[in-house]
C-alpha cells in the first residue's frame, strides 16, 4: 500500500482547481493525469529575457522586457491579415506589435490607446522596422512581477500553453513532501547532490542545473535497480521444482540441419537452470535467424518429457500463429499435443482448449496475452517462454507464472539485441544467454540505401524481381495517407502497385485489419499466390516466407534501427540472394545518415544496438520505448550510461549489506520505490 505521505502527489489533476475536462485533454495527450506526472515533466529549455529602458538598448533576436505605450492600430485588409499595434517606448522609439489569426479584439484589449504596458517578446527587424510578433506577456502597471527574467520551457501539445503548465508545475512543487534520504550518505556527499525536495525545485527552475537533474535521474535508476534485485531475490527465495527431461522427444526431433555450437551451449545453460529447485529466470538474446525458436522448443519438450506443460507467449496474433505453424511442422510425427489460444478464439474451440489445459491433455500452448486470463488454468505448468519480451512488462509476464501451483521456470527471448547498459537497466534480474552464431546457410542480406526520388527505378526493379518468380515485401510507415504527413501510406502504395502488377499479385496487411483478413492475406503470400506484400511494421517479427528475397522499406530514415534490422530479417531465409532497399528522404539529418550507413555496412544486430544507443541523444531507444516496467521519465540515455553502474552497485549493497527493506535504510528506499512506481512487481513476486 502506498505510503500516505505520497498521496497528494498521486491525486488526479482533475481534482485540482481550474483543471476541467477541456484542459484535461491536452494534458492526457502528454501523459499528465496525476500531480506526480507534472512533477516529473521537467522543462527542456529556458527563456532568458533582457529588461531594457529603451528599444535601442536591445539587439534583434533578443527576448526583451520593455514599457510600451500604444498610439494607433493598423488593421489588415482582411480579417485573416495581421493586426498591428503601433507602440513607442519612453524615448519615443517605435515598434510594431503584430498579431495573426483573427486576434484584433485581443490586441485592442491588451493595448488600450494611450496607456502604458510592460511587454515581453522577441524583438525582430522586418526590413528597417522593429516588430514583436505575439508578445508572450503583457502586464498592466503594478503587475510587472508576472514577467520573469528567466522562464523554464516545457514540452507542450496543442491546447496547452507554457504559462498554464508552469502554473501546474508550481502546484505540483507545493505538494512535494519532505522525504527521508534514500541515497547512501557518502555517495550523496561525494556527488554534491541536493536533497530530493530541493532537486525537484531546482530542476523545474532550470534545465541547466546538472546536479539537480543527475540527482533525480539517479533516484529513478536506483529505484529500478532495487526493484529488479528484489524481484530476483523474491524468485530465488520461492520454492520451485526441478524439471528434467529424459531426452526421448528432443532426440526424436527430425531436423534438416544440425545445431550450432551456440545453440548447444545455450541449451545446456537452460537445462541446467530447469534442473534446479530454484525457478529459472533467463533471457535468451539472439539475432534475427539465429535459431531461438528451436532452442525454446527443445526446452519445452524437456518439460513435456517430465510430464508437465509448457506455454509460449507472443505479443501479436500474427506472431503467435506463425509460432504455432512453425512448431506444428517441427513436431510432425511426435506424440505432443500442441494448441493455440488468442483473443480471437471463441466458442467450442476455446472451451475445448481450456478443458485440454485443465486436464493436462494439451502439452504445449502457444498464444497471445489471452493465455494468462483468469479463465485459463493449467494442470501442471512448469515452463513459460515469452517471445519478443520487450513488448511485455515485468508484471505482465509474471502474471503467467502465477498460473502454476509452484513458480514455473521462465525463459524470455528477444530478437532485438539490447545494449549492455539497457540490459542491466531493464532486465538486471535475469541471467542472460546469447546466441552469437548463425546457422549454416543463412547468407547476409545485401542492404542498399536509395533516395526516394528514384521510386520509379525501384518499381521497375521490383517488376524484374517478380518476373523471376521471387516475392517481395514493401513496408510503409502509415496505413492511410494523412494531411499532416507526407509519408507514403500502405493503402496508397498498394493501390499504385496493383495498378502496375494487377490486383491479385499485390497483398496488403496492416494492424487495423481484422484477424481472419490478415491470416488470409498472409496465407496467400506464403503460398506464393501474392508476389508483393505491402505492409506496415505488423510484419516486423515472426513472419517467415523463405521465397521472399526482397525487402523495400519506404522512408527508412523514419524507422528505428531495431525496426529496420527486424524488417531486414524477414528476407534472407531461403537459398536465393536477398536484398534490402532502404528508401530515404531527399534531405537527411547527420544522425539519420549515420544510422542508414550503419544498416548498409553491417548485419550484426548487436553492433547495431550498441551504435544506436551511442547515436541517439534521447527519446526512444532502438526504435522502441525503453521496455516494460522500467520506462524512464527523468533519466536520459546519457545519464543511464553514466549513472547506472553506480546505482547498480548501490542497490546491490542495499539489498545484500544493508538488510534490504527490513534494514534501517529500508523505509526511505520503500518511499523511493513507491514514488517512482517501481513497487508493483515486488508483492506480485512475493505472493505464493
Amino acid at each position: 500500500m502506498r505510503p500516505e505521505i505520497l498521496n497528494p502527489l498521486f491525486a488526479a489533476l482533475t481534482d485540482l482547481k481550474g483543471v476541467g475536462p477541456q484542459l484535461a485533454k491536452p494534458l492526457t495527450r502528454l501523459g499528465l493525469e496525476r500531480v506526480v506526472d507534472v512533477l516529473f515533466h521537467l522543462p527542456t529549455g529556458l527563456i532568458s529575457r533582457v529588461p531594457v529602458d529603451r528599444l535601442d538598448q536591445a539587439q534583434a533576436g533578443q527576448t526583451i522586457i520593455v514599457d510600451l505605450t500604444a498610439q494607433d492600430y493598423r488593421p489588415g485588409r482582411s480579417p485573416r491579415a495581421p493586426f498591428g499595434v503601433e507602440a513607442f517606448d519612453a524615448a519615443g522609439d517605435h515598434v510594431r506589435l503584430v498579431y495573426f489569426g483573427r486576434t484584433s479584439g485581443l490586441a485592442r484589449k491588451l493595448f488600450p490607446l494611450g496607456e502604458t504596458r510592460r511587454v515581453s517578446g522577441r524583438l525582430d527587424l522586418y526590413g528597417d522596422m522593429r516588430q514583436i510578433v505575439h508578445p508572450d506577456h503583457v502586464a498592466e502597471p503594478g503587475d510587472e512581477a508576472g514577467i520573469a527574467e528567466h522562464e523554464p520551457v516545457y514540452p507542450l501539445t496543442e491546447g496547452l500553453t507554457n504559462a498554464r503548465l508552469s502554473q501546474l508545475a508550481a502546484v505540483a512543487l507545493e505538494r512535494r513532501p519532505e522525504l527521508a534520504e534514500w541515497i547512501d550518505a557518502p555517495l550523496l556527499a561525494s556527488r554534491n547532490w541536493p536533497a530530493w525536495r530541493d532537486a525537484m525545485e531546482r530542476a523545474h527552475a532550470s534545465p541547466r542545473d546538472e546536479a539537480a537533474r543527475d540527482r533525480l535521474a539517479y533516484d529513478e535508476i536506483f529505484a529500478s535497480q532495487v526493484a529488479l534485485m528484489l524481484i530476483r531475490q523474491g524468485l530465488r527465495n520461492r520454492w520451485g521444482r526441478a524439471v528434467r527431461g529424459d531426452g526421448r522427444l528432443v532426440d526424436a526431433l527430425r531436423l534438416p540441419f544440425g545445431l550450432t555450437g551456440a545453440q548447444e551451449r545455450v541449451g545446456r545453460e537452460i537445462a541446467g537452470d530447469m534442473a534446479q529447485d530454484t525457478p529459472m529466470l533467463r533471457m535468451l538474446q539472439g539475432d534475427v535467424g539465429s535459431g531461438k525458436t528451436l532452442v525454446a522448443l527443445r526446452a519445452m519438450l524437456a518439460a513435456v518429457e517430465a510430464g508437465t506443460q509448457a506455454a509460449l507467449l507472443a505479443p501479436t496474433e500474427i506472431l503467435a500463429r506463425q509460432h504455432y505453424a512453425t512448431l506444428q511442422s517441427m513436431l510432425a510425427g511426435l506424440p505432443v499435443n500442441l494448441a493455440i489460444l488468442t483473443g480471437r478464439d471463441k466458442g467450442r474451440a476455446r472451451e475445448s482448449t481450456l478443458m485440454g489445459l485443465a486436464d493436462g491433455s494439451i502439452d504445449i500452448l502457444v498464444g497471445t496475452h489471452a493465455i494468462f486470463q483468469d479463465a485459463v488454468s493449467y494442470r501442471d505448468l512448469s515452463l513459460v517462454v515469452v517471445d519478443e519480451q520487450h513488448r511485455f512488462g515485468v508484471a505482465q509476464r509474471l502474471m503467467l507464472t502465477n498460473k502454476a501451483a509452484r513458480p514455473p521456470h521462465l525463459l524470455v527471448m528477444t530478437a532485438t539485441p539490447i545494449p549492455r547498459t539497457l540490459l542491466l537497466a531493464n532486465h538486471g534480474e535475469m541471467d542472460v544467454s546469447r546466441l552469437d552464431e548463425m546457422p549454416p546457410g543463412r547468407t547476409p542480406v545485401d542492404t542498399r540505401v536509395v533516395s526516394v526520388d528514384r521510386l520509379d527505378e525501384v518499381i521497375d526493379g521490383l517488376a524484374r524481381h517478380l518476373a523471376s518468380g521471387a516475392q517481395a515485401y514493401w513496408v510503409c510507415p502509415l496505413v492511410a495517407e494523412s494531411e499532416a504527413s507526407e509519408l507514403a501510406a500502405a493503402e496508397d502504395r498498394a493501390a499504385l502497385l496493383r495498378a502496375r502488377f494487377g490486383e491479385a499479385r499485390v497483398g496488403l496487411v496492416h494492424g487495423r485489419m481484422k484477424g481472419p483478413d490478415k491470416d488470409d492475406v498472409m496465407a496467400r503470400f506464403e503460398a506464393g499466390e501474392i508476389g508483393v506484400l505491402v505492409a506496415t511494421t505488423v510484419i516486423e517479427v515472426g513472419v517467415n516466407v523463405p521465397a521472399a528475397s526482397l525487402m523495400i522499406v519506404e522512408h527508412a530514415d523514419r524507422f528505428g534501427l531495431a525496426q529496420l534490422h527486424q524488417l531486414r530479417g524477414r528476407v534472407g531465409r531461403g537459398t536465393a540472394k536477398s536484398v534490402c532497399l532502404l528508401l530515404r528522404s531527399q534531405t537527411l539529418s547527420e544522425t539519420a545518415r549515420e544510422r542508414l550507413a550503419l544498416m548498409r555496412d553491417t548485419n550484426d544486430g548487436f553492433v547495431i544496438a550498441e551504435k544506436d544507443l551511442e547515436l541517439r541523444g534521447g527519446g526512444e531507444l532502438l526504435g522502441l520505448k525503453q521496455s516494460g516496467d522500467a520506462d524512464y521519465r527523468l533519466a536520459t540515455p546519457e545519464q543511464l550510461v553514466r549513472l547506472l553502474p553506480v546505482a547498480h552497485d548501490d542497490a546491490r549493497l542495499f539489498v545484500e549489506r544493508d538488510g534490504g527493506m527490513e534494514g534501517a535504510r529500508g523505509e526511505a528506499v520503500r518511499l523511493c520505490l513507491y514514488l517512482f512506481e517501481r513497487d508493483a512487481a515486488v508483492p506480485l513476486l512475493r505472493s505464493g
Side-chain angles (χ1 to χ4, degrees):
M1 187 173 180
R2 183 188 301 124
E4 190 174 341
I5 193 173
L6 296 178
N7 286 343
L9 294 180
F10 286 86
L13 287 176
T14 49
D15 292 345
L16 301 180
K17 184 178 180 181
V19 182
Q22 187 171 354
L23 181 58
K25 288 180 181 178
L27 289 170
T28 300
R29 283 200 297 271
L30 286 176
L32 309 180
E33 298 181 346
R34 304 162 304 172
V35 174
V36 71
D37 299 327
V38 175
L39 194 67
F40 290 165
H41 189 72
L42 298 180
T44 54
L46 192 68
I47 296 174
S48 294
R49 300 184 175 92
V50 180
V52 296
D53 296 322
R54 298 173 49 174
L55 290 166
D56 61 11
Q57 294 173 338
Q59 298 178 356
Q62 281 186 323
T63 300
I64 64 171
I65 303 172
V66 64
D67 290 335
L68 297 174
T69 303
Q71 288 196 1
D72 195 12
Y73 301 131
R74 188 175 293 273
R77 295 181 179 179
S78 72
R80 290 182 174 274
F83 182 86
V85 178
E86 308 297 339
F88 296 84
D89 65 11
D93 291 328
H94 169 260
V95 64
R96 178 175 294 169
L97 310 174
V98 182
Y99 285 83
F100 290 93
R102 300 180 183 272
T103 54
S104 60
L106 173 64
R108 292 174 189 270
K109 181 179 179 181
L110 290 173
F111 294 100
L113 296 183
E115 295 189 19
T116 300
R117 294 288 185 266
R118 195 150 180 82
V119 179
S120 165
R122 178 187 166 98
L123 181 68
D124 289 307
L125 290 177
Y126 184 69
D128 294 331
M129 182 180 65
R130 296 188 185 98
Q131 70 174 18
I132 297 175
V133 177
H134 282 277
D136 52 46
H137 286 280
V138 179
E140 295 186 23
D143 193 28
E144 293 88 348
I147 305 179
E149 291 187 22
H150 301 285
E151 181 182 351
V153 178
Y154 292 88
L156 300 172
T157 187
E158 184 180 357
L160 189 62
T161 65
N162 196 69
R164 191 69 184 94
L165 194 47
S166 295
Q167 292 169 358
L168 289 174
V171 172
L173 286 168
E174 287 175 6
R175 289 189 168 216
R176 73 196 191 285
E178 291 279 1
L179 299 177
E181 184 56 70
W182 47 76
I183 296 181
D184 201 31
L187 174 63
L188 192 67
S190 68
R191 297 280 175 159
N192 198 28
W193 284 338
W196 175 79
R197 196 172 190 277
D198 293 339
M200 286 299 337
E201 184 169 20
R202 286 169 51 174
H204 275 277
S206 172
R208 300 170 188 166
D209 192 327
E210 290 187 13
R213 292 291 181 116
D214 276 359
R215 154 77 208 229
L216 297 176
Y218 181 85
D219 291 340
E220 187 174 36
I221 298 167
F222 174 72
S224 291
Q225 289 299 294
V226 170
L228 290 173
M229 288 182 188
L230 290 175
I231 287 170
R232 187 181 184 90
Q233 185 186 64
L235 275 180
R236 296 297 184 240
N237 290 341
R238 291 169 71 184
W239 195 254
R241 41 92 175 269
V243 176
R244 298 182 182 88
D246 55 20
R248 57 188 168 83
L249 295 175
V250 172
D251 293 343
L253 276 174
R254 294 290 175 259
L255 302 172
F257 45 81
L259 296 178
T260 65
Q263 286 173 317
E264 294 273 16
R265 183 190 74 246
V266 169
R268 288 193 296 270
E269 292 171 351
I270 294 170
D273 281 356
M274 291 176 64
Q276 304 301 313
D277 291 332
T278 302
M280 172 175 69
L281 187 57
R282 182 170 291 276
M283 173 186 285
L284 174 57
Q285 278 193 296
D287 210 344
V288 177
S290 59
K292 296 182 299 300
T293 303
L294 177 57
V295 171
L297 174 59
R298 287 165 63 89
M300 289 190 287
L301 287 178
V304 177
E305 290 168 356
T308 64
Q309 296 167 295
L312 172 59
L313 172 63
T316 67
E317 190 165 313
I318 281 185
L319 183 51
R321 294 192 180 279
Q322 181 71 46
H323 274 311
Y324 181 66
T326 300
L327 295 183
Q328 268 189 321
S329 173
M330 289 177 155
L331 293 171
L334 269 65
V336 177
N337 191 1
L338 177 72
I340 185 169
L341 183 65
T342 70
R344 192 207 307 176
D345 297 302
K346 310 289 183 186
R348 289 184 179 178
R350 175 182 169 80
E351 290 303 316
S352 174
T353 300
L354 295 181
M355 289 176 61
L357 292 171
D359 65 23
S361 58
I362 290 176
D363 301 306
I364 299 175
L365 179 68
V366 179
T368 58
H369 62 277
I371 72 177
F372 55 67
Q373 291 174 346
D374 289 342
V376 183
S377 61
Y378 301 77
R379 183 184 66 82
D380 193 5
L381 180 66
S382 73
L383 173 65
V384 175
V385 179
V386 181
D387 195 18
E388 290 306 314
Q389 62 77 39
H390 61 263
R391 308 289 182 90
F392 301 97
V394 171
Q396 276 184 299
R397 60 181 186 252
L398 288 173
M399 283 177 69
L400 189 51
T401 70
N402 283 354
K403 289 291 183 181
R406 282 184 287 178
H409 298 286
L410 181 63
L411 176 67
V412 300
M413 305 191 299
T414 177
T416 303
I418 303 172
R420 183 179 177 279
T421 298
L422 296 186
L423 192 66
L424 188 61
N426 294 353
H427 313 287
E429 84 278 23
M430 296 182 185
D431 297 312
V432 179
S433 294
R434 176 183 282 194
L435 288 175
D436 51 9
E437 186 180 346
M438 297 298 279
R442 285 282 300 201
T443 55
V445 178
D446 180 12
T447 304
R448 306 168 192 173
V449 181
V450 180
S451 175
V452 75
D453 58 10
R454 296 175 59 189
L455 186 63
D456 290 343
E457 295 176 47
V458 171
I459 294 176
D460 289 341
L462 174 61
R464 293 190 294 273
H465 183 80
L466 296 177
S468 72
Q471 292 172 277
Y473 299 95
W474 191 303
V475 176
C476 301
L478 296 177
V479 174
E481 193 64 69
S482 140
E483 292 181 6
S485 174
E486 297 177 356
L487 301 187
E491 290 176 342
D492 288 354
R493 184 60 67 230
L496 176 71
L497 295 178
R498 282 167 177 161
R500 171 74 181 266
F501 302 115
E503 193 79 18
R505 293 289 288 154
V506 179
L508 173 64
V509 170
H510 56 72
R512 296 183 192 171
M513 293 171 64
K514 294 180 179 179
D517 296 335
K518 278 191 284 192
D519 287 350
D520 177 63
V521 175
M522 292 305 303
R524 289 192 290 124
F525 185 58
E526 290 172 19
E529 299 172 17
I530 290 173
V532 56
L533 181 68
V534 180
T536 56
T537 53
V538 71
I539 58 121
E540 179 185 336
V541 291
V543 178
N544 183 27
V545 181
S549 53
L550 174 62
M551 167 63 70
I552 300 169
V553 184
E554 199 162 350
H555 288 285
D557 47 299
R558 305 294 182 94
F559 288 85
L561 268 179
Q563 279 186 315
L564 291 177
H565 185 60
Q566 289 290 335
L567 290 169
R568 177 169 62 184
R570 298 311 103 208
V571 296
R573 293 169 173 262
T575 56
K577 177 185 176 182
S578 293
V579 175
C580 176
L581 295 183
L582 303 178
L583 303 189
R584 62 166 178 82
S585 304
Q586 292 175 319
T587 57
L588 286 179
S589 68
E590 191 57 39
T591 298
R593 193 178 303 278
E594 281 191 61
R595 290 166 64 234
L596 292 180
L598 182 68
M599 287 295 301
R600 183 191 61 214
D601 295 340
T602 183
N603 280 273
D604 189 326
F606 294 100
V607 172
I608 288 171
E610 295 289 349
K611 186 65 176 177
D612 196 22
L613 180 60
E614 178 186 324
L615 284 175
R616 286 177 181 262
E620 293 186 351
L621 297 170
L622 310 177
L624 302 161
K625 285 189 177 178
Q626 295 170 27
S627 78
D629 291 341
D631 189 9
Y632 294 92
R633 293 186 285 181
L634 300 178
T636 65
E638 182 274 330
Q639 287 172 319
L640 268 173
V641 171
R642 182 162 45 85
L643 298 175
L644 188 133
V646 184
H648 178 76
D649 290 344
D650 191 21
R652 191 182 71 249
L653 286 174
F654 165 74
V655 172
E656 296 177 0
R657 181 199 70 184
D658 297 344
M661 301 304 288
E662 306 304 322
R665 193 178 164 199
E667 187 56 35
V669 174
R670 181 170 173 268
L671 287 171
C672 180
L673 289 173
Y674 275 97
L675 177 64
F676 290 100
E677 299 178 270
R678 298 300 198 260
D679 57 288
V682 178
L684 177 65
L685 284 155
R686 288 184 169 178
S687 64

